[in-house]
Amino acid sequence: MATSALAAPVALAQQTPQADAQSAADAAAALQGTEIIVTAQKRSENLQSVPISIQALGTRKLDELNVSSFDDYAKVLPSVSFQSFGPGQTQLSFRGITSGGDGLHGGSQPTAALYLDEVPVTTIAGAVDLHVYDIARVEALSGPQGTLFGSSSLAGTLRIIPNKPDTKGFSGRIDVSGNKVGKGTGGGSAEGYVNIPLSDRAALRLMAFYQHDGGYIDSVPGTRTFTLGDDNPATNVTVNNARFVKDNVNKTDTAGGRAALKVDLDDNWTVQPSVIYQHQTTRGSFLFDPRYGDLKVTDFGPSYNRDAWALATMTINGKIGNWDLTYAGGYFDRRVENLADYSEYSVAYDQFQGGFYTYFQAADGSFIDPTQQVHNHDDYTKQSHELRISSPTGERYKLVAGVFYQRQTDRIVADYYINGLAGIPNSPAVPKAGDDLFATRAYRVDRDYAAFIDGSFDITPQLTLAGGIRVFRVNNTFVGFSGFKSGTTAANCVPVVADDRVCNNFDRQARQHGETHRVNLTWKIDPDRLVYATYSTGYRPGGNNRRPNVNPYVADTLTNYELGFKTSWFDRKFRLNGALFYEKWKNLQYGLSPVGSFGVTNIYNAGDARVYGAEMDFNLRLGGLNLSGSGALIDGKLTTDFCSFDTNGNPDCTLGVIAAPKGTPLPIQPKFKGNMTARYEFDMGKAKAFVQGSLNHQSGTRSYLTTNEANLLGRTDGFETFDFSFGAKVSGFDISAYVENAFDKRGILSINTVCTPSICGAGRRFYPIKPQVFGIKLGHDL
């Protein structure tokens, strides 16, 4: 699917003339930039030799597609889907294995894992949106990857792998760009890296960047009148949003850098420490409200998202005899602060609950403005350690075995507040939480212990049997308070302390153990073609709910049956890869707010589902013309009824209440998603010039799994977009111009609400693709 100038060692299949020819061809192809080397199986291999469904974007392809953020590369990965509230607020999934509405801070772990190189950085409530620059490749591994990558790889794993320090010579680059959203504001970026050999055994690589993205969503004037549950107009409160009216409110500033060191201690041992830091601030809403027009909202409060994180890693590679030993460890620290308009919650309760939670009378007899805001703080930490050993290449057997430990925490502070609430008589504000009508102070710790072994054996030079197993134990705790004032007293409320409890209304532990496994059979028809069959499983741990009377939820599991092929034709000028798969999802976890829960979301096991699908990608080189594309056809549906639940977390299908019947489509993932790119490179005097055009298409999606919420929010429509670029390289300088979404299509990626759809469904908001963007880039090799 992608091309790259990256060259790396290629794993040998067996020391036979045919295997030697295969290896030589693979290495030559890599050096010529016609193939990409991946490490999806924890060893360097040619993409075409890896018998799993993997889409890879190398350095060159990322640059050609003008990729700088998650949204940019996700649109060209057909098996990847996502829900989002904006940069850094995205829940990603693979092959439709998502129930929608994921991302609850105290809820389920994600269905897909995110790795930076060797280290997991998966967090609940929003994936890290790493700025993409000086990146070796992005690898999207579809299907369960639990054998090698653990519990958060239920549906797949997304890996982002930076370029490494190189002792062979100095290199560097500077890139600057400027752009303008069609009817919005301007933006731009400045990026650069240097690779500095310190000696013949040590090198340092430094990268830094700054990017500003212009806005395109307008906050327009609006008013609303709260009746406060009383027919007397004298009690009405009318509010407006004049303070927050502004054009192009959704702007983003992102800055950061990376420092990596490589030291060869001797011919066998290498140490590679690195540090990555990124700070991102977004302002305004990235979703628009169709009731007020295209790309328009009526916010009644300020909104922003501040996301700062740092990752320190250490990788040690060495040899014990002729076996390779690898230690990969990391410490990840992420601080997220999010402020959002929560006024639709006030509107809903005023309209449908007779003024419940909106009728607040001050001491002077007047009524306060019940408009709500939500202020979230998440302090994440994650440490991970993996030690593994790999057998030498060139043997009939290959083996990777190791142990893994991970401890991740989330200190959650959430304030759902109404200004002035704490100062009124008989205030319903949560004690010691300011103006909070509802508050959360919780501390979550997820611990994972695992051991794994994965190997293969060449039955014949053409036929290879592979398999693996991972045994694991998880120990998760969740303590703190989440709720209203009711049920709290001075006796059981304590000041905020180290574990951030206001009132301890839950203190729970979930311990589980089990295993996940895979079996693969690969037939190498010849050096350029193989077919494979895979059976694999994945798991996601269960956990506890915040409400003390709601039952825990159990682990969900995924079983994957897959047939695939990797082929190259016509002297490797044409590559065609594909896979057919069938997946069974058991006890899928889902967040639902039952009637009577006052909007508090609990996690339930919704039942079972299945997914049928096909994936394909191709690449064709005809002289200076390169054609590439990929697509996925995915159909996921429930195979059992999803019962609704009472406030105690008990299923009530016996009462005829069905949240989603058997046959309901799974949400978020388009039934078809695909892309095609044509690029023509040619000489223009002394310059190397190019012209490029890309088409991206995806079909419409269901927004939520449950019937009531899905009907309230509706479906998205299918759409297609076109991107164009042209430019040239001369004397070490690159200059190009581009237009993204050239015809300004308003594609909608997801429909979201800031609170539970059954309560705030009327205030639904659309997360759009970027509007039309014009830009110019200039780069220079140092």
Side-chain angles (χ1 to χ4, degrees):
M1 173 178 174
T3 58
S4 174
L6 176 70
V10 178
L12 304 180
Q14 184 182 357
Q15 289 182 319
T16 66
Q18 183 176 359
D20 290 340
Q22 171 74 64
S23 174
D26 286 348
L31 290 171
Q32 293 169 6
T34 60
E35 297 292 351
I36 189 167
I37 303 301
V38 298
T39 52
Q41 297 188 123
K42 305 267 183 173
R43 59 171 78 230
S44 296
E45 298 172 289
N46 190 305
L47 174 68
Q48 291 301 100
S49 301
V50 181
I52 63 175
S53 181
I54 173 174
Q55 296 167 288
L57 304 173
T59 304
R60 180 177 171 184
K61 192 70 172 182
L62 291 168
D63 182 63
E64 290 175 356
L65 296 175
N66 196 34
V67 170
S68 65
S69 66
F70 174 85
D71 283 21
D72 294 333
Y73 60 76
K75 74 179 183 181
V76 295
L77 298 175
S79 292
V80 173
S81 58
F82 63 96
Q83 283 182 291
S84 183
F85 283 88
Q89 303 174 69
T90 297
Q91 298 84 48
L92 72 117
S93 58
F94 281 78
R95 290 182 171 177
I97 302 300
T98 175
S99 56
D102 294 330
L104 182 68
H105 300 250
S108 302
Q109 294 187 27
T111 63
L114 178 63
Y115 272 66
L116 293 186
D117 203 359
E118 293 270 7
V119 175
V121 292
T122 313
T123 55
I124 297 173
V128 166
D129 193 353
L130 174 73
H131 179 78
V132 178
Y133 183 75
D134 193 33
I135 296 298
R137 62 192 179 276
V138 174
E139 297 179 1
L141 284 60
S142 297
Q145 305 295 324
T147 304
L148 291 176
F149 293 99
S151 63
S152 290
S153 299
L154 175 75
T157 299
L158 186 65
R159 303 181 67 220
I160 303 173
I161 301 166
N163 285 312
K164 304 294 194 301
D166 188 352
T167 60
K168 295 179 182 177
F170 175 86
S171 64
R173 184 173 175 85
I174 297 175
D175 291 276
V176 295
S177 70
N179 59 66
K180 170 71 165 60
V181 180
K183 297 179 182 179
T185 57
S189 65
E191 308 159 306
Y193 83 87
V194 290
N195 181 86
I196 307 170
L198 304 177
S199 70
D200 59 351
R201 288 187 176 272
L204 177 67
R205 196 178 190 100
L206 303 173
M207 184 277 289
F209 73 92
Y210 168 75
Q211 178 169 319
H212 173 75
D213 296 316
Y216 48 84
I217 291 180
D218 299 335
S219 181
V220 298
T223 62
R224 57 172 56 128
T225 298
F226 294 97
T227 63
L228 305 183
D230 194 320
D231 292 333
N232 182 2
T235 66
N236 290 353
V237 172
T238 299
V239 299
N240 65 63
N241 69 336
R243 290 183 299 155
F244 309 107
V245 173
K246 186 178 181 181
D247 290 344
N248 308 311
V249 295
N250 62 320
K251 299 175 182 178
T252 304
D253 289 282
T254 311
R258 181 174 68 249
L261 177 68
K262 177 185 177 183
V263 179
D264 295 326
L265 302 177
D266 56 28
D267 292 339
N268 293 325
W269 288 88
T270 299
V271 177
Q272 298 184 71
S274 72
V275 177
I276 304 175
Y277 174 78
Q278 180 171 298
H279 185 282
Q280 183 178 76
T281 299
T282 67
R283 303 168 187 86
S285 175
F286 283 76
L287 289 75
F288 73 92
D289 190 330
R291 296 176 297 180
Y292 300 101
D294 183 37
L295 301 181
K296 299 184 185 304
V297 295
T298 55
D299 278 346
F300 284 78
S303 58
Y304 59 78
N305 190 76
R306 296 176 183 142
D307 186 356
W309 57 270
L311 174 66
T313 68
M314 173 67 77
T315 303
I316 301 173
N317 299 102
K319 285 187 175 294
I320 297 179
N322 60 351
W323 286 60
D324 294 318
L325 184 71
T326 300
Y327 165 78
Y331 184 81
F332 178 61
D333 187 285
R334 183 185 188 192
R335 308 294 173 91
V336 180
E337 180 186 5
N338 179 272
L339 180 66
D341 179 15
Y342 208 65
S343 60
E344 288 293 342
Y345 195 95
S346 299
V347 171
Y349 272 107
D350 182 59
Q351 293 177 349
F352 304 117
Q353 299 291 335
F356 192 51
Y357 293 128
T358 60
Y359 193 98
F360 305 120
Q361 191 168 14
D364 63 2
S366 63
F367 293 87
I368 69 173
D369 176 0
T371 298
Q372 284 194 63
Q373 290 282 112
V374 57
H375 195 187
N376 290 310
H377 298 259
D378 283 274
D379 292 346
Y380 300 99
T381 69
K382 183 193 291 279
Q383 62 168 302
S384 63
H385 307 272
E386 180 173 289
L387 182 66
R388 66 177 186 268
I389 190 167
S390 305
S391 64
T393 58
E395 303 293 338
R396 292 186 65 182
Y397 66 87
K398 302 182 189 69
L399 187 68
V400 177
V403 292
F404 175 83
Y405 168 71
Q406 175 180 272
R407 184 181 188 270
Q408 51 187 335
T409 70
D410 184 9
R411 194 178 303 279
I412 306 165
V413 177
D415 299 296
Y416 300 79
Y417 66 91
I418 297 171
N419 287 320
L421 186 66
I424 68 173
N426 301 313
S427 173
V430 177
K432 301 181 177 70
D435 287 332
D436 285 15
L437 179 64
F438 185 97
T440 297
R441 301 289 189 275
Y443 185 57
R444 173 175 181 160
V445 182
D446 295 86
R447 308 167 188 85
D448 296 85
Y449 311 82
F452 60 90
I453 184 168
D454 194 274
S456 65
F457 178 73
D458 295 333
I459 302 172
T460 71
Q462 290 78 36
L463 194 64
T464 300
L465 178 66
I469 187 170
R470 186 185 191 98
V471 294
F472 61 87
R473 180 167 63 91
V474 297
N475 181 3
N476 303 331
T477 56
F478 194 29
V479 299
F481 170 82
S482 184
F484 302 95
K485 178 181 180 180
S486 59
T488 68
T489 67
N492 63 16
C493 286
V494 296
V496 175
V497 292
D499 61 6
D500 272 343
R501 298 183 221 184
V502 174
C503 304
N504 180 15
N505 72 340
F506 60 85
D507 188 346
R508 301 179 176 183
Q509 185 173 41
R511 294 183 177 181
Q512 301 164 42
H513 61 87
E515 59 82 25
T516 185
H517 53 271
R518 77 174 185 102
V519 178
N520 172 275
L521 185 64
T522 303
W523 177 31
K524 297 176 182 176
I525 301 171
D526 58 39
D528 289 331
R529 284 164 283 273
L530 66 82
V531 294
Y532 68 87
T534 296
Y535 160 76
S536 58
T537 64
Y539 75 97
R540 178 171 55 162
N544 290 294
N545 282 293
R546 293 173 293 169
R547 291 172 66 93
N549 59 339
V550 177
N551 297 329
Y553 54 96
V554 302
D556 53 0
T557 59
L558 189 69
T559 303
N560 175 61
Y561 305 90
E562 184 173 322
L563 295 173
F565 59 89
K566 301 271 182 89
T567 64
S568 298
W569 307 82
F570 313 119
D571 294 328
R572 302 195 174 186
K573 294 179 180 178
F574 178 59
R575 183 176 69 240
L576 180 66
N577 300 335
L580 301 173
F581 58 88
Y582 166 54
E583 296 185 335
K584 295 193 297 184
W585 191 7
K586 185 175 179 60
N587 290 324
L588 68 94
Q589 297 171 14
Y590 183 72
L592 182 68
S593 298
V595 175
S597 66
F598 304 110
V600 178
T601 301
N602 307 313
I603 307 300
Y604 304 101
N605 293 104
D608 302 337
R610 59 87 181 145
V611 178
Y612 298 121
E615 300 161 333
M616 188 170 293
D617 67 86
F618 76 92
N619 192 88
L620 174 64
R621 291 179 294 110
L622 299 172
L625 178 64
N626 194 85
L627 302 175
S628 61
S630 60
L633 183 64
I634 295 173
D635 178 47
K637 292 181 179 178
L638 289 179
T639 55
T640 61
D641 288 338
F642 176 14
C643 300
S644 188
F645 290 79
D646 62 24
T647 55
N648 293 323
N650 299 311
D652 57 5
C653 277
T654 56
L655 303 178
V657 181
I658 305 295
K662 177 181 178 180
T664 297
L666 297 179
I668 309 304
Q669 174 72 43
K671 194 164 188 177
F672 177 76
K673 180 181 177 184
N675 63 85
M676 292 185 64
T677 297
R679 182 181 178 91
Y680 181 61
E681 298 179 345
F682 56 97
D683 293 331
M684 189 171 63
K686 294 183 178 180
K688 296 289 186 180
F690 76 89
V691 292
Q692 178 176 291
S694 297
L695 163 67
N696 297 283
H697 170 81
Q698 69 176 57
S699 57
T701 64
R702 181 187 180 99
S703 299
Y704 264 74
L705 175 66
T706 49
T707 302
N708 183 44
E709 284 78 5
N711 290 340
L712 285 168
L713 298 186
R715 289 179 55 87
T716 68
D717 294 326
F719 63 89
E720 54 281 321
T721 62
F722 292 86
D723 303 332
F724 301 102
S725 61
F726 64 92
K729 182 180 181 70
V730 58
S731 301
F733 286 89
D734 295 89
I735 185 168
S736 62
Y738 63 88
V739 55
E740 297 177 351
N741 193 2
F743 305 109
D744 200 26
K745 292 289 186 179
R746 195 66 67 241
I748 305 302
L749 295 170
S750 60
I751 303 176
N752 302 334
T753 58
V754 73
C755 69
T756 306
S758 58
I759 297 174
C760 301
R764 64 180 186 159
R765 292 192 173 186
F766 293 177
Y767 181 68
I769 60 174
K770 290 181 183 177
Q772 184 185 68
V773 178
F774 298 91
I776 186 169
K777 297 194 300 182
L778 177 65
H780 178 55
D781 295 322
L782 301 179

